[in-house]
Amino acid sequence: MTTPPPLSAHGCPVLHGGAFAAQPHAVYDQLRTQGPAGWAEIAPNVHALVVTQHRAAVTLLNDTATYSKDSRLWQDLANGYVPENSPVLGLMAFRNSVLYTDDQAHARLRWAMDDCIARISPHQLRDITQRSALTLIARVMAQGRADLMTDFADTLPLLVFAELLGCPTEMSARMVRACQDLISAGPAAAQGAIDFAMLLHELIQLRHQQPGEDLTSWMITHPAGLTDDESLNQLYCAVGAGVIPVAAWMAWALHLLLRDDAYAGNLAAGTLTVRRALEKALWQRSPMANFSVHYARYDTQLYGVQMPAGVPVLISHAAVNTDPALPSDLGFDNRSHLAWSTGPHRCPAITQATTIAQTGIETVLDQLWDMELAVPDEEILLRHGPFHQCPQAMPVTFRPKSAARIPAAAELTGGTA
């Protein structure tokens, strides 16, 4: 019999630590007993309301008059009881970017973000992703075994972003190191955040002097007239939103393709099969487990649940996508899931994220022949923390072959100086 997940000292379900990582859906079931939203501990001594009902989530995400994205509403309230080194501050502390602003301020920053992302050439993005994937595959293909997370999925989006941002070669390597520290959730995370912000500042100054065809140059010269601080935080947000979520999405889709009988026996169908696996993964394993943080502007109610002003309200994308109240015949091809959120803060880079994930998966399946998962599902553990639904590791075996058989150069060249 499975042991029930623990409760916090306040009697709330716990959305962090090993027990939550081992049984996330058991914790969501605990939360559902409180109604459409319930109290949870998201880090030691940090509590929030978590929405688990799909209908309530859609209502909240579209109600900008009642709910704000400005985390300063909470930080002022939380001053003195949330530890300065709390792990949730990395994603919840205010930054002057599209993720934390409302109304006209948000519209201006979203204008710049949307325009810059739209300028990314789909063909160029596919080429960058494939070349970066081949770089990573070349490092392991002679071994016959790899960890799809550390050897591939975690790093692929970083290599792609380094080039999209216009990083020179030397700076690309530094960015990858800083971001790997940042997403480690360990002692190096805080320094990684500092190093990454400093690198973005350096890159912005370089692109002021030497503009190019890259995200950084487009952001700092956009008609919205962003300050360097706004540009830095916009780029920080773009990379942060595009690394772990894309890595987790690739991993869960590959898990389906390698283990689920509905996909594993049909890989010859190619692109269509990969797309279907990607859609199913968003429903069953939303990469952002609990996020889209909002704060009530005043004391209110959401479907009978009290929402005190300034308290963090997280959308459990993982729970609302598996809400028992959803129709049983909805189908995984239906796009009403909330893995991308909805409303004015819906992800602005769905097409680009899909291109990276799909190209990465197709490339690894094409190059690593006879690939199989090397451990049973119960040994694929989640990383700790409330926000992401991401495997710690996903070991695989495959037929070894020489790296010389990769059809493209397997060294990252980075952007242009």
Side-chain angles (χ1 to χ4, degrees):
M1 182 174 178
T2 303
T3 303
L7 301 176
S8 74
H10 296 275
C12 299
V14 177
L15 265 68
H16 63 92
F20 170 62
Q23 302 183 63
H25 287 284
V27 178
Y28 300 142
D29 287 341
Q30 286 181 335
L31 279 168
R32 289 188 180 105
T33 65
Q34 300 183 48
W39 286 97
E41 183 182 85
I42 61 173
N45 301 314
V46 181
H47 292 82
L49 282 157
V50 181
V51 178
T52 57
Q53 184 193 75
H54 190 277
R55 181 179 64 164
V58 172
T59 297
L60 185 151
L61 291 167
N62 285 283
D63 187 357
T64 57
T66 306
Y67 299 96
S68 169
K69 289 287 290 178
D70 189 340
S71 62
R72 290 172 295 190
L73 294 172
W74 167 64
Q75 287 176 260
D76 291 343
L77 183 71
N79 185 30
Y81 78 83
V82 174
E84 291 183 0
N85 62 348
S86 175
V88 299
L89 290 178
L91 288 181
M92 290 175 62
F94 180 82
R95 284 183 174 275
N96 194 12
S97 78
V98 68
L99 188 60
Y100 302 92
T101 49
D102 301 306
D103 308 321
Q104 292 303 311
H106 173 259
R108 172 174 162 268
L109 294 173
R110 182 65 185 243
W111 172 32
M113 183 71 84
D114 287 348
D115 281 0
C116 292
I117 289 173
R119 292 183 67 173
I120 299 172
S121 161
H123 299 295
Q124 181 189 26
L125 181 58
R126 195 173 298 110
D127 289 345
I128 293 171
T129 304
Q130 184 179 54
R131 175 160 36 84
S132 299
L134 292 171
T135 296
L136 298 171
I137 292 167
R139 297 172 183 171
V140 300
M141 67 186 314
Q143 301 171 13
R145 64 187 184 280
D147 176 2
L148 286 177
M149 294 310 304
T150 58
D151 293 326
F152 186 72
D154 280 339
T155 307
L156 178 62
L158 292 175
L159 300 184
V160 174
F161 269 105
E163 193 154 344
L164 292 177
L165 290 171
C167 290
T169 303
E170 178 272 336
M171 194 178 288
S172 295
R174 287 165 50 205
M175 186 192 122
V176 170
R177 286 195 299 271
C179 288
Q180 285 174 332
D181 288 342
L182 175 61
I183 67 177
S184 68
Q191 187 60 49
I194 294 170
D195 292 345
F196 181 48
M198 291 178 62
L199 186 146
L200 287 176
H201 173 77
E202 181 182 340
L203 181 59
I204 287 169
Q205 302 314 308
L206 174 64
R207 290 301 166 220
H208 275 306
Q209 299 171 13
Q210 303 174 33
E213 289 298 309
D214 52 69
L215 275 174
T216 307
S217 300
W218 300 333
M219 193 71 72
I220 63 178
T221 59
H222 191 271
L226 274 59
T227 65
D228 283 358
D229 178 69
E230 289 173 327
S231 295
L232 187 153
N233 283 304
Q234 291 272 90
L235 297 173
Y236 192 106
C237 171
V239 175
V243 174
I244 296 183
V246 172
W249 190 20
M250 284 193 292
W252 293 126
L254 279 164
H255 179 271
L256 282 171
L257 290 163
L258 296 174
R259 179 134 300 165
D260 191 315
D261 289 342
Y263 299 91
N266 195 32
L267 287 182
T271 295
L272 182 60
T273 302
V274 171
R275 286 178 180 169
R276 286 177 174 168
L278 284 166
E279 285 302 320
K280 185 173 181 178
L282 290 177
W283 277 103
Q284 292 189 328
R285 295 281 196 172
S286 177
M288 295 303 297
N290 306 286
F291 200 52
S292 297
V293 192
H294 285 70
Y295 311 87
R297 299 175 189 264
Y298 48 84
D299 291 350
T300 187
Q301 288 189 359
L302 179 70
Y303 291 97
V305 179
Q306 295 294 326
M307 296 279 164
V311 167
V313 184
L314 279 66
I315 303 298
S316 179
H317 304 277
V320 301
N321 287 349
T322 55
D323 183 354
L326 288 170
S328 59
D329 60 350
L330 198 59
F332 294 118
D333 289 335
N334 186 293
R335 302 295 176 84
S336 60
H337 62 73
L338 297 181
W340 304 109
S341 191
T342 191
H345 286 271
R346 180 174 166 86
C347 175
I350 296 173
T351 299
Q352 292 76 16
T354 303
T355 296
I356 295 171
Q358 182 173 325
T359 304
I361 289 172
E362 290 174 350
T363 305
V364 79
L365 290 175
D366 180 62
Q367 294 297 320
L368 301 183
W369 299 343
D370 301 329
M371 185 163 54
E372 295 181 351
L373 287 165
V375 296
D377 286 353
E378 56 268 24
E379 293 184 24
I380 299 176
L381 305 177
L382 297 182
R383 293 175 184 174
H384 295 185
F387 301 124
H388 302 104
Q389 189 167 205
C390 187
Q392 294 181 24
M394 195 170 284
V396 294
T397 59
F398 49 88
R399 192 194 315 174
K401 61 179 179 177
S402 168
R405 297 183 61 181
I406 283 201
E411 291 299 327
L412 177 68
T413 58
T416 58

